[in-house]
């Protein structure tokens, strides 16, 4: 009893400490009803707001923020070096000592140059800052610019010096407009709006600390095994990983399945023995021993718990399996068509992607049948969603909906939720509880020739986001859905709170390594996360790339 009396106060403090800590950060005028309440609380708890608040207990979210406080906020949020000597300003004596180092850092970075009056330069740290000036300073810091139109109804009111930054920050969803789609460039930015801007900018900065590198692939099309430095691929489209960390590559144009194990690349199955007049591998459909079996443009696969490798052999119109030293047809045959039922009776038309749940059910994106199929453990195929052999777009009851060339698929462990890259509709769809809904993506205008929805590139709210022929999907343990947005040359993430954001690639079709959002990809088609390494089939670069990425950074 004496021991209990001694430790009881300690236990109570341990329980109350997190609550007391959170309460200590609370502003008296941020009561949960303000639109920026959560962002302000998060930024305050991270220690970012200390220099721009006073001892009143209030934050004054709707008041205009000063130039000095805004620069301090974004330097503390995004800059690696947050200290500098402010110099050359006529009004240095009026700048508070708390924010001088941050203004000095901004001056050193070239993003803050002061205001020129009568040939003299003034900091004007206590003056209110316009929205377009805040965008200019932040755009310079993040090194973002764009010559495209920003789409705001009042874009003509944006000053020439700010246009490129307003547009670029809008494209990254760092800047938001008002409900009437205006930007109000010459209105003073409020303290809450500034925190919101800094919060989105922080996410961008954190993502850009990740690195995108090339693991293997020479760039040119070939089928070469060997060391990582010497290996070559032919338009690889899919990849998956086993429990030991080996990466299996579906080397589509070479009609091979390859494996990366340690520092070596080897061929698991398929023969690149015959080539046509253009030098391209001639695939075929032959089961048997792995030394004699032929594949025909494999695109994606999964590893089962028993070690078998199931994959969509697209041009063979079949789901095939590598088991031990044998290759056999798991479901379907070489004839394109649509039929459900037992393995030998089922038919597919250019299946592109597969996923498996913990019960061993295999989900298939049956691309040219415009539907999603499921194959149970007894190898019986049945329709999950879509109207077979009919393309279009319609949400609703699963077997009454329409897809247009679905090409990517991911499933939750329990099989209750299936995500689909509906490539021709430029959307990510979700199948759950017998219904199909649009999870992310937008657009209604169709291309008159192809019949595809016209895609685009826009981060932001999932319902407004735009994609361009999205392909491979990967569902992380914390609920993030990662998307290989092939037409936009980027990797995107869709958060559980309904936001789409770019996590790798600058949009250019190239092969440049470096900081994630500055580096480039060329037609990425599939992704697979192993630990904190996101493997990417960079299809048009004929390469396998790696992005350092921890999904928890986007909780």
């Amino acid at each position: 009893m004496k021991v209990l009396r001694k430790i009881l106060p300690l236990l109570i403090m341990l329980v109350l400490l997190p609550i007391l800590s959170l309460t200590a950060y609370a502003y008296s005028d941020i009561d949960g009803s303000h639109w920026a309440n959560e962002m302000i609380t998060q930024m305050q708890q991270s220690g970012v707001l200390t220099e721009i608040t006073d001892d009143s207990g209030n934050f004054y979210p709707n008041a205009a923020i000063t130039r000095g406080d805004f620069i301090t906020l974004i330097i503390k949020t995004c800059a690696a070096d947050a200290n500098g000597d402010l110099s050359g300003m006529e009004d240095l004596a009026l700048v508070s000592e708390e924010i001088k180092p941050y203004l000095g850092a901004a001056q050193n970075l070239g993003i803050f140059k002061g205001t020129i009056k009568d040939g003299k330069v003034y900091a004007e740290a206590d003056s209110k800052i316009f929205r377009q000036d805040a965008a200019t300073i932040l755009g310079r810091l993040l090194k973002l610019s764009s010559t495209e139109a920003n789409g705001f109804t009042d874009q003509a009111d944006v000053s020439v010096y700010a246009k490129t930054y307003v547009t670029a920050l809008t494209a990254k969803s760092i800047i938001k407009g008002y409900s009437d789609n205006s930007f109000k460039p010459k209105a003073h930015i409020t303290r809450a709006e500034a925190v919101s801007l800094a919060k989105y900018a922080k996410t961008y900065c954190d993502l850009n600390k990740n690195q995108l590198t090339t693991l293997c692939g020479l760039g040119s099309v070939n089928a070469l095994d060997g060391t990582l430095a010497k290996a070559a691929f032919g338009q690889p489209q899919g990849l998956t990983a086993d429990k030991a960390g080996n990466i299996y590559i579906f080397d589509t144009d070479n009609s091979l399945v390859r494996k990366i194990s340690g520092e070596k690349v080897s061929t698991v199955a398929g023969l690149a023995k015959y080539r046509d007049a253009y030098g391209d591998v001639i695939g075929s459909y032959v089961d048997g021993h792995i030394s004699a079996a032929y594949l025909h443009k494999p695109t994606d696969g999964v590893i089962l718990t028993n070690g078998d490798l199931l994959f969509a052999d697209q041009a063979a119109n079949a789901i095939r399996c590598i088991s031990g030293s044998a290759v056999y047809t798991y479901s379907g045959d070489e004839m394109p068509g649509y039929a459900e039922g037992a393995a030998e009776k089922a038919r597919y038309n250019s299946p592109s992607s597969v996923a498996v749940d913990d019960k061993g059910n295999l989900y298939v994106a049956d691309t040219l049948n415009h539907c999603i199929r499921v194959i149970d453990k007894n190898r019986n195929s049945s329709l999950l969603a879509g109207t077979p052999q009919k393309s279009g777009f319609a949400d609703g009851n699963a077997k009454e909906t329409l897809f247009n060339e679905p090409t990517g698929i991911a499933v939750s462990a329990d099989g209750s939720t299936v995500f689909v890259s509906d490539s021709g509709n430029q959307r990510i769809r979700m199948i759950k509880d017998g219904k199909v809904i649009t999870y992310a993506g937008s657009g209604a205008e169709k291309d008159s020739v192809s019949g595809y929805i016209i895609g685009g590139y826009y981060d932001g709210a999932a319902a407004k986001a735009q994609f361009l022929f999205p392909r491979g999907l990967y569902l992380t343990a914390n609920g993030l859905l990662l998307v290989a947005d092939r037409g936009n040359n980027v990797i995107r993430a869709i958060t559980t709170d309904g936001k789409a954001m770019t996590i790798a690639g600058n949009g250019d079709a190239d092969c440049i390594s470096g900081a994630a959002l500055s580096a480039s990809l060329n037609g990425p088609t599939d992704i697979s996360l192993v630990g904190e390494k996101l493997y990417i089939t960079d299809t048009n670069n004929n390469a396998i790339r790696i992005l350092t990425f921890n999904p928890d950074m986007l909780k």
Side-chain angles (χ1 to χ4, degrees):
M1 183 64 71
K2 289 182 179 179
V3 174
L4 180 60
R5 287 174 182 169
K6 289 181 180 180
I7 66 171
L8 186 58
L10 178 59
L11 292 173
I12 294 173
M13 284 303 297
L14 288 173
V15 171
L16 292 179
L17 187 58
I19 300 172
L20 294 172
S21 299
L22 289 174
T23 304
Y25 282 110
Y27 293 113
S28 55
D29 57 348
I30 301 297
D31 58 3
S33 61
H34 195 278
W35 66 268
N37 175 75
E38 185 177 353
M39 288 186 180
I40 292 170
T41 301
Q42 288 175 353
M43 296 293 274
Q44 185 189 31
Q45 290 176 357
S46 68
V48 170
L49 302 183
T50 53
E51 278 80 10
I52 69 168
T53 57
D54 54 31
D55 297 326
S56 67
N58 295 319
F59 183 71
Y60 306 110
N62 299 322
I65 195 169
T66 65
R67 180 184 301 194
D69 283 349
F70 177 76
I71 291 173
T72 298
L73 176 61
I74 67 164
I75 289 293
K76 289 194 71 174
T77 299
C78 296
D81 183 2
N83 291 289
D85 293 325
L86 186 63
S87 61
M89 305 289 179
E90 292 294 317
D91 55 349
L92 274 178
L94 301 178
V95 181
S96 72
E97 293 300 320
E98 288 84 358
I99 68 173
K100 268 185 182 178
Y102 302 105
L103 269 63
Q107 186 181 43
N108 293 343
L109 290 168
I111 67 171
F112 171 55
K113 301 173 183 178
T115 301
I116 298 176
K117 292 181 179 180
D118 301 323
K120 296 181 180 180
V121 183
Y122 295 82
E124 294 192 339
D126 291 332
S127 65
K128 298 173 183 177
I129 186 170
F130 293 142
R131 287 170 58 82
Q132 66 176 10
D133 292 339
T136 299
I137 291 170
L138 185 56
R140 288 172 179 166
L141 177 64
L142 300 182
K143 298 179 180 179
L144 293 174
S145 62
S146 174
T147 57
E148 302 295 325
N150 57 52
F152 292 120
T153 54
D154 55 354
Q155 61 181 327
D157 297 335
V158 180
S159 298
V160 173
Y161 68 84
K163 282 184 183 294
T164 182
Y165 302 113
V166 170
T167 300
L169 292 173
T170 302
K172 294 293 183 185
S173 290
I174 295 173
I175 273 184
K176 309 285 183 181
Y178 291 96
S179 58
D180 61 356
N181 201 33
S182 66
F183 178 61
K184 298 179 176 54
K186 296 174 184 176
H188 291 130
I189 188 170
T190 68
R191 293 168 66 82
E193 289 171 335
V195 170
S196 173
L197 197 64
K199 179 68 169 61
Y200 285 116
K202 183 180 188 305
T203 299
Y204 178 90
C205 293
D206 289 346
L207 286 170
N208 211 30
K209 292 175 184 176
N210 296 328
Q211 294 292 307
L212 179 66
T213 57
T214 298
L215 176 65
C216 56
L218 297 177
S220 58
V221 175
N222 213 323
L224 299 176
D225 287 335
T227 64
L228 294 177
K230 293 183 178 180
F233 301 88
Q235 296 277 291
Q237 289 195 25
L239 78 169
T240 191
D242 65 17
K243 292 180 180 179
N246 298 307
I247 309 299
Y248 292 83
I249 311 298
F250 301 92
D251 194 7
T252 305
D253 278 9
N254 282 326
S255 290
L256 302 174
V257 174
R258 318 279 291 280
K259 182 172 76 170
I260 302 173
S261 182
E263 299 295 315
K264 298 286 186 180
V265 176
S266 60
T267 295
V268 176
L271 295 170
K273 190 174 181 179
Y274 301 105
R275 297 179 180 271
D276 61 20
Y278 300 98
D280 297 330
V281 171
I282 299 174
S284 189
Y285 173 56
V286 178
D287 285 339
H289 193 273
I290 55 173
S291 63
Y294 280 84
L295 314 181
H296 204 176
K297 295 191 180 299
T299 51
D300 183 39
V302 292
I303 306 285
L304 301 184
T305 54
N306 65 359
D308 285 356
L309 177 61
L310 293 180
F311 62 97
D313 202 7
Q314 188 175 61
N317 301 300
I319 308 303
R320 304 188 61 193
C321 179
I322 302 172
S323 181
S325 60
V327 176
Y328 70 93
T329 299
Y330 191 78
S331 183
D333 59 28
E334 195 173 14
M335 296 300 295
Y338 176 79
E340 301 290 7
E344 64 277 6
K345 294 182 179 180
R347 280 193 172 171
Y348 304 84
N349 196 346
S350 294
S352 292
S353 184
V354 293
V356 66
D357 65 21
D358 284 351
K359 300 172 186 176
N361 297 308
L362 188 72
Y363 299 79
V364 182
D366 193 0
T367 302
L368 294 187
N369 276 325
H370 311 290
C371 62
I372 306 303
R373 317 270 291 273
V374 60
I375 305 171
D376 65 22
K377 290 186 295 183
N378 295 318
R379 297 167 58 192
N380 292 310
S381 170
S382 60
L383 177 67
L384 180 67
T387 304
Q389 299 180 314
K390 184 178 180 180
S391 65
F393 172 73
D395 284 336
N397 292 326
K399 295 182 182 180
E400 298 173 359
T401 55
L402 294 173
F403 293 85
N404 192 350
E405 297 188 10
T407 54
I409 196 163
V411 62
S412 61
D414 62 1
S416 65
T417 308
V418 179
F419 296 96
V420 179
S421 282
D422 193 5
S423 294
N425 285 320
Q426 318 297 351
R427 285 167 166 80
I428 308 301
R429 315 279 292 278
M430 183 174 76
I431 308 167
K432 187 177 179 67
D433 298 328
K435 303 286 185 180
V436 174
I437 65 168
T438 295
Y439 191 68
S442 61
E445 185 180 355
K446 288 186 178 181
D447 180 88
S448 59
V449 178
S450 67
Y452 298 136
I453 295 292
I454 296 175
Y457 179 38
Y458 182 76
D459 281 336
K464 294 182 178 180
Q466 291 184 319
F467 299 86
L468 188 60
F469 299 105
R471 294 290 300 267
L473 300 176
Y474 187 92
L475 184 63
T476 69
N478 68 349
L480 278 180
L481 186 66
L482 306 182
V483 183
D485 192 357
R486 182 169 181 173
N488 282 319
N489 304 304
V490 296
I491 307 300
R492 317 275 288 275
I494 304 171
T495 63
T496 53
D497 60 349
K499 294 183 180 66
M501 63 182 67
T502 300
I503 64 170
N506 62 10
D508 294 340
D510 209 334
C511 188
I512 298 174
S513 296
L517 298 174
S518 304
S520 58
L521 299 155
N522 191 352
T525 305
D526 200 14
I527 44 187
S528 186
L529 186 66
V530 181
E532 293 188 4
K533 291 182 178 180
L534 185 68
Y535 290 85
I536 304 166
T537 46
D538 197 4
T539 302
N540 294 340
N541 280 323
N542 300 297
I544 309 303
R545 315 285 295 279
I546 294 180
L547 174 72
T548 56
F549 179 69
N550 182 350
D552 288 340
M553 69 189 303
L554 295 181
K555 274 185 177 179

